[in-house]
Amino acid sequence: NAGVTQTPKFQVLKTGQSMTLQCAQDMNHEYMSWYRQDPGMGLRLIHYSVGAGITDQGEVPNGYNVSRSTTEDFPLRLLSAAPSQTSVYFCASKSRESSYNSPLHFGNGTRLTVT
Amino acid sequence: AQSVTQLDSHVSVSEGTPVLLRCNYSSSYSPSLFWYVQHPNKGLQLLLKYTSAATLVKGINGFEAEFKKSETSFHLTKPSAHMSDAAEYFCVVFSFQKLVFGTGTRLLVSP
């Protein structure tokens, strides 16, 4: 199993450009989520999904869109990139069975720089 | 809302000495707590989890954590540090379908 796969690993954008960060998992997990990691701030939840067709906002959703058309994929879209979105982005998934204690499986991250 | 506080941003130990990474939580009811580890340029990996079964939880790579309700703590320990333990560690609480992360503790291990 590949687990959680994120692409690309690195990306540089200019202010105002748009792009999509890809996330795919092959574990048939219902729950998928996007986090951003910034120094001294831990991981903050951007958006999450509890199943295909269902998404919800996390702690820092502004400037980001998501959709969940399939169980496997959960892309994150930056509509108009800003320097404040420079960060490392992680996608994570988990099974909903006993959802309160099932662990998250993380991808290896996408390092995004906005100039 | 539930939250976690990691009391140290950096902890330095020598190889072979004990490790203590501190975490305090706030919760209005019995929480689900986790410790994750992140090695450089990698995603996070689950070390261990507490879900109200046993207060002393054993994880991977010799780590363990003790849930102390009276102190609202969930500190992570290891008897003897190894060079490969150098990483960032996150204390996490599960709250309303979301995982809330602490700000992380970077563990430095010197020879």
Side-chain angles (χ1 to χ4, degrees), chain B residues 55-83:
Chain B
T55 56
L56 183 62
V57 182
K58 294 188 183 299
I60 61 172
N61 300 335
F63 284 94
E64 61 182 37
E66 186 171 9
F67 175 75
K68 292 186 176 180
K69 186 175 181 179
S70 61
E71 300 176 8
T72 62
S73 69
F74 189 58
H75 300 336
L76 182 70
T77 60
K78 183 174 181 178
S80 176
H82 191 273
M83 295 296 292

Side-chain angles (χ1 to χ4, degrees), chain B residues 21-108:
Chain B
L21 306 183
R22 299 182 293 166
C23 172
N24 285 101
Y25 69 91
S26 66
S27 172
S28 55
Y29 53 91
S30 184
S32 291
L33 293 160
F34 307 78
W35 276 98
Y36 281 81
V37 60
Q38 184 183 30
H39 288 95
N41 300 313
K42 293 291 186 183
L44 282 73
Q45 179 186 15
L46 180 69
L47 270 181
L48 51 81
K49 63 183 181 183
Y50 167 76
T51 55
S52 75
T55 56
L56 183 62
V57 182
K58 294 188 183 299
I60 61 172
N61 300 335
F63 284 94
E64 61 182 37
E66 186 171 9
F67 175 75
K68 292 186 176 180
K69 186 175 181 179
S70 61
E71 300 176 8
T72 62
S73 69
F74 189 58
H75 300 336
L76 182 70
T77 60
K78 183 174 181 178
S80 176
H82 191 273
M83 295 296 292
S84 61
D85 294 327
E88 189 151 20
Y89 293 79
F90 293 92
C91 184
V92 184
V93 64
F94 185 83
S95 171
F96 301 108
Q97 286 284 348
K98 303 170 189 175
L99 287 171
V100 178
F101 286 76
T103 52
T105 298
R106 185 168 297 279
L107 177 64
L108 307 170

